[in-house]
Amino acid sequence: MRTETGRDAVTALVIGGLASWFVVTVASQHPQRVFDRVRRYDRRGVVIPDWRFFAPEPGQHDLQMFHRVLRAGDGVPTPWLETAPIAARRWSHAAWFPRRRQDKAMFEISNELCALVNLPIGDPTPTPAFRMPRGFAERAVRTEYSGVARGFQFMIVSSGGYDTDVEPEYLFLSPFARLESVDA
């Protein structure tokens, strides 16, 4: 049978251990690696996770995708439309924002595609970095222009997001893609 003093000592030890773990975890998230000394005892990151609350180079722009369509009847391109508009931020997004993953994936793929364009590799169209945004734009075109589109084109633009003072920068413009029928 444990005594009351023993139970208090165990409680204090558990609380102290958890508090120490929390302090070490938070301190090791700092972008300067000087706070990572304790991490050498947990090289796989099992006990001390490696999340960076402070990005070493925080993002200062948004990547947005736009598309336009060649209409089947007259072959005239439509005006540019945003493929996946940036969601307006809400307080609930601090706890639940599943679409953020889609935005992050498109951001990463777009960065990879823009990096490929700057390399002397030739045609980027057979690469996954091109095929993924092309498929994303094609899905939007098929949804919006079912049966009236002959082809489409997409564009990746860097913008200030909510900061409208930043001029957009056009990073990538795809060639027009023929839109095959779904039955083909």
Side-chain angles (χ1 to χ4, degrees):
M1 179 172 196
R2 287 189 179 159
T3 65
E4 194 67 32
T5 309
R7 204 173 300 158
D8 291 343
V10 169
T11 301
L13 189 63
V14 168
I15 290 173
L18 288 174
S20 299
W21 169 79
F22 180 76
V23 167
V24 166
T25 298
V26 170
S28 68
Q29 306 312 311
H30 198 279
Q32 293 181 354
R33 299 289 178 167
V34 73
F35 296 101
D36 281 354
R37 292 183 190 139
V38 179
R39 196 179 297 281
R40 69 176 176 242
Y41 299 112
D42 184 27
R43 294 193 190 279
R44 296 190 189 268
V46 175
V47 178
I48 305 169
D50 190 9
W51 307 309
R52 298 295 163 163
F53 294 128
F54 313 104
E57 292 181 31
Q60 298 174 1
H61 63 276
D62 286 341
L63 291 182
Q64 296 172 276
M65 181 186 286
F66 293 86
H67 66 274
R68 66 180 177 176
V69 172
L70 281 177
R71 292 188 296 237
D74 55 8
V76 175
T78 63
W80 290 100
L81 297 171
E82 194 168 2
T83 306
I86 298 172
R89 300 294 190 240
R90 298 187 181 122
W91 282 105
S92 62
H93 289 163
W96 179 251
F97 189 23
R99 183 163 163 226
R100 188 180 100 219
R101 297 293 173 218
Q102 174 186 309
D103 295 344
K104 173 73 171 150
M106 286 306 297
F107 184 84
E108 294 298 329
I109 291 294
S110 297
N111 272 335
E112 186 174 334
L113 178 59
C114 292
L116 281 176
V117 169
N118 293 327
L119 294 175
I121 64 163
D123 184 19
T125 57
T127 65
F130 176 82
R131 289 193 321 256
M132 289 180 74
R134 182 195 182 280
F136 189 73
E138 182 177 347
R139 187 177 72 193
V141 166
R142 287 189 186 279
T143 302
E144 295 170 26
Y145 297 94
S146 178
V148 296
R150 183 167 49 174
F152 69 98
Q153 183 177 28
F154 70 91
M155 172 174 52
I156 297 173
V157 177
S158 171
S159 72
Y162 294 110
D163 186 3
T164 56
D165 294 337
V166 177
E167 286 292 320
E169 180 182 354
Y170 304 98
L171 302 176
F172 180 79
L173 180 63
S174 77
F176 268 99
R178 185 181 165 137
L179 194 59
E180 302 294 332
S181 75
V182 179
D183 301 331

PDB file of all heavy atoms in Angstrom, residues 69-94:
ATOM      1  N   VAL A  69     -10.375  28.133 -71.517  1.00  0.00           N
ATOM      2  CA  VAL A  69     -10.901  27.051 -72.344  1.00  0.00           C
ATOM      3  C   VAL A  69     -11.084  27.548 -73.773  1.00  0.00           C
ATOM      4  O   VAL A  69     -11.463  28.701 -73.992  1.00  0.00           O
ATOM      5  CB  VAL A  69     -12.261  26.584 -71.761  1.00  0.00           C
ATOM      6  CG1 VAL A  69     -12.952  25.611 -72.676  1.00  0.00           C
ATOM      7  CG2 VAL A  69     -12.057  25.982 -70.397  1.00  0.00           C
ATOM      8  N   LEU A  70     -10.799  26.667 -74.719  1.00  0.00           N
ATOM      9  CA  LEU A  70     -11.166  26.914 -76.122  1.00  0.00           C
ATOM     10  C   LEU A  70     -12.562  26.337 -76.308  1.00  0.00           C
ATOM     11  O   LEU A  70     -12.770  25.137 -76.144  1.00  0.00           O
ATOM     12  CB  LEU A  70     -10.207  26.209 -77.074  1.00  0.00           C
ATOM     13  CG  LEU A  70      -8.870  26.866 -77.327  1.00  0.00           C
ATOM     14  CD1 LEU A  70      -8.028  25.993 -78.239  1.00  0.00           C
ATOM     15  CD2 LEU A  70      -9.038  28.239 -77.922  1.00  0.00           C
ATOM     16  N   ARG A  71     -13.513  27.205 -76.620  1.00  0.00           N
ATOM     17  CA  ARG A  71     -14.881  26.737 -76.807  1.00  0.00           C
ATOM     18  C   ARG A  71     -14.982  25.922 -78.091  1.00  0.00           C
ATOM     19  O   ARG A  71     -14.339  26.235 -79.102  1.00  0.00           O
ATOM     20  CB  ARG A  71     -15.845  27.910 -76.820  1.00  0.00           C
ATOM     21  CG  ARG A  71     -15.949  28.578 -75.465  1.00  0.00           C
ATOM     22  CD  ARG A  71     -17.045  29.604 -75.454  1.00  0.00           C
ATOM     23  NE  ARG A  71     -16.739  30.694 -76.381  1.00  0.00           N
ATOM     24  CZ  ARG A  71     -16.660  31.965 -76.030  1.00  0.00           C
ATOM     25  NH1 ARG A  71     -16.875  32.311 -74.794  1.00  0.00           N
ATOM     26  NH2 ARG A  71     -16.383  32.886 -76.921  1.00  0.00           N
ATOM     27  N   ALA A  72     -15.794  24.891 -78.040  1.00  0.00           N
ATOM     28  CA  ALA A  72     -15.925  23.985 -79.179  1.00  0.00           C
ATOM     29  C   ALA A  72     -16.554  24.662 -80.388  1.00  0.00           C
ATOM     30  O   ALA A  72     -16.163  24.402 -81.517  1.00  0.00           O
ATOM     31  CB  ALA A  72     -16.745  22.767 -78.770  1.00  0.00           C
ATOM     32  N   GLY A  73     -17.502  25.542 -80.168  1.00  0.00           N
ATOM     33  CA  GLY A  73     -18.210  26.151 -81.297  1.00  0.00           C
ATOM     34  C   GLY A  73     -17.353  27.099 -82.106  1.00  0.00           C
ATOM     35  O   GLY A  73     -17.148  26.921 -83.304  1.00  0.00           O
ATOM     36  N   ASP A  74     -16.794  28.122 -81.467  1.00  0.00           N
ATOM     37  CA  ASP A  74     -16.070  29.150 -82.215  1.00  0.00           C
ATOM     38  C   ASP A  74     -14.551  29.102 -82.032  1.00  0.00           C
ATOM     39  O   ASP A  74     -13.827  29.810 -82.717  1.00  0.00           O
ATOM     40  CB  ASP A  74     -16.593  30.538 -81.828  1.00  0.00           C
ATOM     41  CG  ASP A  74     -16.536  30.795 -80.327  1.00  0.00           C
ATOM     42  OD1 ASP A  74     -15.951  29.979 -79.596  1.00  0.00           O
ATOM     43  OD2 ASP A  74     -17.088  31.823 -79.891  1.00  0.00           O
ATOM     44  N   GLY A  75     -14.047  28.282 -81.106  1.00  0.00           N
ATOM     45  CA  GLY A  75     -12.606  28.176 -80.892  1.00  0.00           C
ATOM     46  C   GLY A  75     -11.977  29.379 -80.230  1.00  0.00           C
ATOM     47  O   GLY A  75     -10.762  29.534 -80.225  1.00  0.00           O
ATOM     48  N   VAL A  76     -12.792  30.246 -79.658  1.00  0.00           N
ATOM     49  CA  VAL A  76     -12.296  31.446 -78.992  1.00  0.00           C
ATOM     50  C   VAL A  76     -11.994  31.106 -77.532  1.00  0.00           C
ATOM     51  O   VAL A  76     -12.805  30.470 -76.856  1.00  0.00           O
ATOM     52  CB  VAL A  76     -13.349  32.580 -79.073  1.00  0.00           C
ATOM     53  CG1 VAL A  76     -12.905  33.802 -78.294  1.00  0.00           C
ATOM     54  CG2 VAL A  76     -13.614  32.928 -80.522  1.00  0.00           C
ATOM     55  N   PRO A  77     -10.817  31.513 -77.026  1.00  0.00           N
ATOM     56  CA  PRO A  77     -10.526  31.225 -75.616  1.00  0.00           C
ATOM     57  C   PRO A  77     -11.366  32.093 -74.680  1.00  0.00           C
ATOM     58  O   PRO A  77     -11.631  33.257 -74.955  1.00  0.00           O
ATOM     59  CB  PRO A  77      -9.037  31.546 -75.463  1.00  0.00           C
ATOM     60  CG  PRO A  77      -8.650  32.320 -76.659  1.00  0.00           C
ATOM     61  CD  PRO A  77      -9.682  32.121 -77.714  1.00  0.00           C
ATOM     62  N   THR A  78     -11.771  31.491 -73.587  1.00  0.00           N
ATOM     63  CA  THR A  78     -12.519  32.222 -72.552  1.00  0.00           C
ATOM     64  C   THR A  78     -11.541  33.064 -71.738  1.00  0.00           C
ATOM     65  O   THR A  78     -10.324  32.863 -71.822  1.00  0.00           O
ATOM     66  CB  THR A  78     -13.227  31.244 -71.604  1.00  0.00           C
ATOM     67  OG1 THR A  78     -12.228  30.464 -70.922  1.00  0.00           O
ATOM     68  CG2 THR A  78     -14.191  30.341 -72.339  1.00  0.00           C
ATOM     69  N   PRO A  79     -12.038  33.995 -70.935  1.00  0.00           N
ATOM     70  CA  PRO A  79     -11.142  34.710 -70.013  1.00  0.00           C
ATOM     71  C   PRO A  79     -10.554  33.729 -68.984  1.00  0.00           C
ATOM     72  O   PRO A  79     -11.084  32.649 -68.759  1.00  0.00           O
ATOM     73  CB  PRO A  79     -12.072  35.720 -69.325  1.00  0.00           C
ATOM     74  CG  PRO A  79     -13.279  35.811 -70.190  1.00  0.00           C
ATOM     75  CD  PRO A  79     -13.403  34.505 -70.897  1.00  0.00           C
ATOM     76  N   TRP A  80      -9.459  34.129 -68.367  1.00  0.00           N
ATOM     77  CA  TRP A  80      -8.821  33.295 -67.359  1.00  0.00           C
ATOM     78  C   TRP A  80      -9.711  33.208 -66.121  1.00  0.00           C
ATOM     79  O   TRP A  80     -10.242  34.209 -65.654  1.00  0.00           O
ATOM     80  CB  TRP A  80      -7.462  33.870 -66.954  1.00  0.00           C
ATOM     81  CG  TRP A  80      -6.424  33.747 -68.028  1.00  0.00           C
ATOM     82  CD1 TRP A  80      -6.021  34.726 -68.883  1.00  0.00           C
ATOM     83  CD2 TRP A  80      -5.673  32.584 -68.357  1.00  0.00           C
ATOM     84  NE1 TRP A  80      -5.054  34.240 -69.718  1.00  0.00           N
ATOM     85  CE2 TRP A  80      -4.817  32.923 -69.426  1.00  0.00           C
ATOM     86  CE3 TRP A  80      -5.631  31.293 -67.864  1.00  0.00           C
ATOM     87  CZ2 TRP A  80      -3.935  32.021 -70.004  1.00  0.00           C
ATOM     88  CZ3 TRP A  80      -4.746  30.384 -68.441  1.00  0.00           C
ATOM     89  CH2 TRP A  80      -3.923  30.755 -69.493  1.00  0.00           C
ATOM     90  N   LEU A  81      -9.856  32.007 -65.587  1.00  0.00           N
ATOM     91  CA  LEU A  81     -10.609  31.764 -64.362  1.00  0.00           C
ATOM     92  C   LEU A  81      -9.703  31.087 -63.351  1.00  0.00           C
ATOM     93  O   LEU A  81      -8.872  30.242 -63.723  1.00  0.00           O
ATOM     94  CB  LEU A  81     -11.807  30.852 -64.632  1.00  0.00           C
ATOM     95  CG  LEU A  81     -12.871  31.385 -65.574  1.00  0.00           C
ATOM     96  CD1 LEU A  81     -13.863  30.291 -65.917  1.00  0.00           C
ATOM     97  CD2 LEU A  81     -13.577  32.559 -64.919  1.00  0.00           C
ATOM     98  N   GLU A  82      -9.868  31.426 -62.092  1.00  0.00           N
ATOM     99  CA  GLU A  82      -9.058  30.775 -61.057  1.00  0.00           C
ATOM    100  C   GLU A  82      -9.548  29.344 -60.881  1.00  0.00           C
ATOM    101  O   GLU A  82     -10.727  29.095 -60.667  1.00  0.00           O
ATOM    102  CB  GLU A  82      -9.153  31.553 -59.750  1.00  0.00           C
ATOM    103  CG  GLU A  82      -8.098  31.139 -58.763  1.00  0.00           C
ATOM    104  CD  GLU A  82      -7.996  32.080 -57.579  1.00  0.00           C
ATOM    105  OE1 GLU A  82      -8.773  33.053 -57.497  1.00  0.00           O
ATOM    106  OE2 GLU A  82      -7.136  31.825 -56.733  1.00  0.00           O
ATOM    107  N   THR A  83      -8.633  28.397 -60.971  1.00  0.00           N
ATOM    108  CA  THR A  83      -8.988  26.984 -60.911  1.00  0.00           C
ATOM    109  C   THR A  83      -9.463  26.579 -59.525  1.00  0.00           C
ATOM    110  O   THR A  83     -10.454  25.884 -59.379  1.00  0.00           O
ATOM    111  CB  THR A  83      -7.786  26.111 -61.338  1.00  0.00           C
ATOM    112  OG1 THR A  83      -7.340  26.568 -62.618  1.00  0.00           O
ATOM    113  CG2 THR A  83      -8.160  24.657 -61.430  1.00  0.00           C
ATOM    114  N   ALA A  84      -8.753  26.989 -58.495  1.00  0.00           N
ATOM    115  CA  ALA A  84      -9.129  26.687 -57.110  1.00  0.00           C
ATOM    116  C   ALA A  84      -8.887  27.948 -56.296  1.00  0.00           C
ATOM    117  O   ALA A  84      -7.769  28.177 -55.827  1.00  0.00           O
ATOM    118  CB  ALA A  84      -8.323  25.520 -56.560  1.00  0.00           C
ATOM    119  N   PRO A  85      -9.904  28.790 -56.145  1.00  0.00           N
ATOM    120  CA  PRO A  85      -9.700  30.047 -55.422  1.00  0.00           C
ATOM    121  C   PRO A  85      -9.204  29.809 -53.996  1.00  0.00           C
ATOM    122  O   PRO A  85      -9.538  28.801 -53.369  1.00  0.00           O
ATOM    123  CB  PRO A  85     -11.097  30.681 -55.398  1.00  0.00           C
ATOM    124  CG  PRO A  85     -11.852  30.000 -56.485  1.00  0.00           C
ATOM    125  CD  PRO A  85     -11.266  28.637 -56.625  1.00  0.00           C
ATOM    126  N   ILE A  86      -8.400  30.732 -53.516  1.00  0.00           N
ATOM    127  CA  ILE A  86      -7.898  30.647 -52.149  1.00  0.00           C
ATOM    128  C   ILE A  86      -9.068  30.833 -51.196  1.00  0.00           C
ATOM    129  O   ILE A  86      -9.840  31.780 -51.334  1.00  0.00           O
ATOM    130  CB  ILE A  86      -6.817  31.715 -51.895  1.00  0.00           C
ATOM    131  CG1 ILE A  86      -5.622  31.477 -52.823  1.00  0.00           C
ATOM    132  CG2 ILE A  86      -6.383  31.727 -50.445  1.00  0.00           C
ATOM    133  CD1 ILE A  86      -4.595  32.578 -52.782  1.00  0.00           C
ATOM    134  N   ALA A  87      -9.195  29.926 -50.256  1.00  0.00           N
ATOM    135  CA  ALA A  87     -10.314  29.985 -49.310  1.00  0.00           C
ATOM    136  C   ALA A  87     -10.160  31.172 -48.374  1.00  0.00           C
ATOM    137  O   ALA A  87      -9.056  31.449 -47.893  1.00  0.00           O
ATOM    138  CB  ALA A  87     -10.375  28.693 -48.496  1.00  0.00           C
ATOM    139  N   ALA A  88     -11.257  31.862 -48.143  1.00  0.00           N
ATOM    140  CA  ALA A  88     -11.243  32.952 -47.162  1.00  0.00           C
ATOM    141  C   ALA A  88     -10.999  32.346 -45.778  1.00  0.00           C
ATOM    142  O   ALA A  88     -11.608  31.335 -45.416  1.00  0.00           O
ATOM    143  CB  ALA A  88     -12.576  33.690 -47.196  1.00  0.00           C
ATOM    144  N   ARG A  89     -10.101  32.926 -45.036  1.00  0.00           N
ATOM    145  CA  ARG A  89      -9.742  32.379 -43.733  1.00  0.00           C
ATOM    146  C   ARG A  89     -10.845  32.659 -42.714  1.00  0.00           C
ATOM    147  O   ARG A  89     -11.453  33.723 -42.715  1.00  0.00           O
ATOM    148  CB  ARG A  89      -8.428  32.975 -43.228  1.00  0.00           C
ATOM    149  CG  ARG A  89      -7.259  32.716 -44.152  1.00  0.00           C
ATOM    150  CD  ARG A  89      -6.930  31.233 -44.209  1.00  0.00           C
ATOM    151  NE  ARG A  89      -5.683  31.022 -44.909  1.00  0.00           N
ATOM    152  CZ  ARG A  89      -5.563  30.309 -46.005  1.00  0.00           C
ATOM    153  NH1 ARG A  89      -6.609  29.750 -46.549  1.00  0.00           N
ATOM    154  NH2 ARG A  89      -4.394  30.147 -46.574  1.00  0.00           N
ATOM    155  N   ARG A  90     -11.067  31.658 -41.860  1.00  0.00           N
ATOM    156  CA  ARG A  90     -12.040  31.775 -40.777  1.00  0.00           C
ATOM    157  C   ARG A  90     -11.373  31.325 -39.482  1.00  0.00           C
ATOM    158  O   ARG A  90     -10.367  30.622 -39.496  1.00  0.00           O
ATOM    159  CB  ARG A  90     -13.235  30.867 -41.056  1.00  0.00           C
ATOM    160  CG  ARG A  90     -13.976  31.237 -42.302  1.00  0.00           C
ATOM    161  CD  ARG A  90     -15.247  30.397 -42.416  1.00  0.00           C
ATOM    162  NE  ARG A  90     -15.928  30.743 -43.637  1.00  0.00           N
ATOM    163  CZ  ARG A  90     -16.217  29.888 -44.581  1.00  0.00           C
ATOM    164  NH1 ARG A  90     -15.921  28.626 -44.450  1.00  0.00           N
ATOM    165  NH2 ARG A  90     -16.827  30.291 -45.667  1.00  0.00           N
ATOM    166  N   TRP A  91     -11.963  31.698 -38.373  1.00  0.00           N
ATOM    167  CA  TRP A  91     -11.425  31.277 -37.077  1.00  0.00           C
ATOM    168  C   TRP A  91     -11.468  29.759 -36.937  1.00  0.00           C
ATOM    169  O   TRP A  91     -10.593  29.157 -36.315  1.00  0.00           O
ATOM    170  CB  TRP A  91     -12.203  31.926 -35.928  1.00  0.00           C
ATOM    171  CG  TRP A  91     -11.794  33.346 -35.726  1.00  0.00           C
ATOM    172  CD1 TRP A  91     -12.507  34.463 -36.079  1.00  0.00           C
ATOM    173  CD2 TRP A  91     -10.572  33.818 -35.154  1.00  0.00           C
ATOM    174  NE1 TRP A  91     -11.809  35.597 -35.764  1.00  0.00           N
ATOM    175  CE2 TRP A  91     -10.609  35.223 -35.182  1.00  0.00           C
ATOM    176  CE3 TRP A  91      -9.450  33.205 -34.624  1.00  0.00           C
ATOM    177  CZ2 TRP A  91      -9.585  36.015 -34.702  1.00  0.00           C
ATOM    178  CZ3 TRP A  91      -8.428  33.990 -34.148  1.00  0.00           C
ATOM    179  CH2 TRP A  91      -8.494  35.368 -34.188  1.00  0.00           C
ATOM    180  N   SER A  92     -12.444  29.121 -37.512  1.00  0.00           N
ATOM    181  CA  SER A  92     -12.551  27.658 -37.401  1.00  0.00           C
ATOM    182  C   SER A  92     -11.391  26.946 -38.089  1.00  0.00           C
ATOM    183  O   SER A  92     -11.084  25.798 -37.775  1.00  0.00           O
ATOM    184  CB  SER A  92     -13.879  27.181 -37.994  1.00  0.00           C
ATOM    185  OG  SER A  92     -13.949  27.496 -39.375  1.00  0.00           O
ATOM    186  N   HIS A  93     -10.727  27.614 -39.027  1.00  0.00           N
ATOM    187  CA  HIS A  93      -9.596  26.995 -39.719  1.00  0.00           C
ATOM    188  C   HIS A  93      -8.411  26.738 -38.798  1.00  0.00           C
ATOM    189  O   HIS A  93      -7.528  25.944 -39.131  1.00  0.00           O
ATOM    190  CB  HIS A  93      -9.154  27.856 -40.904  1.00  0.00           C
ATOM    191  CG  HIS A  93     -10.136  27.836 -42.024  1.00  0.00           C
ATOM    192  ND1 HIS A  93     -10.135  28.774 -43.027  1.00  0.00           N
ATOM    193  CD2 HIS A  93     -11.170  27.015 -42.308  1.00  0.00           C
ATOM    194  CE1 HIS A  93     -11.108  28.515 -43.885  1.00  0.00           C
ATOM    195  NE2 HIS A  93     -11.753  27.449 -43.454  1.00  0.00           N
ATOM    196  N   ALA A  94      -8.371  27.388 -37.655  1.00  0.00           N
ATOM    197  CA  ALA A  94      -7.300  27.108 -36.697  1.00  0.00           C
ATOM    198  C   ALA A  94      -7.406  25.678 -36.175  1.00  0.00           C
ATOM    199  O   ALA A  94      -6.398  25.049 -35.846  1.00  0.00           O
ATOM    200  CB  ALA A  94      -7.352  28.096 -35.541  1.00  0.00           C
TER     201      ALA A  94
END
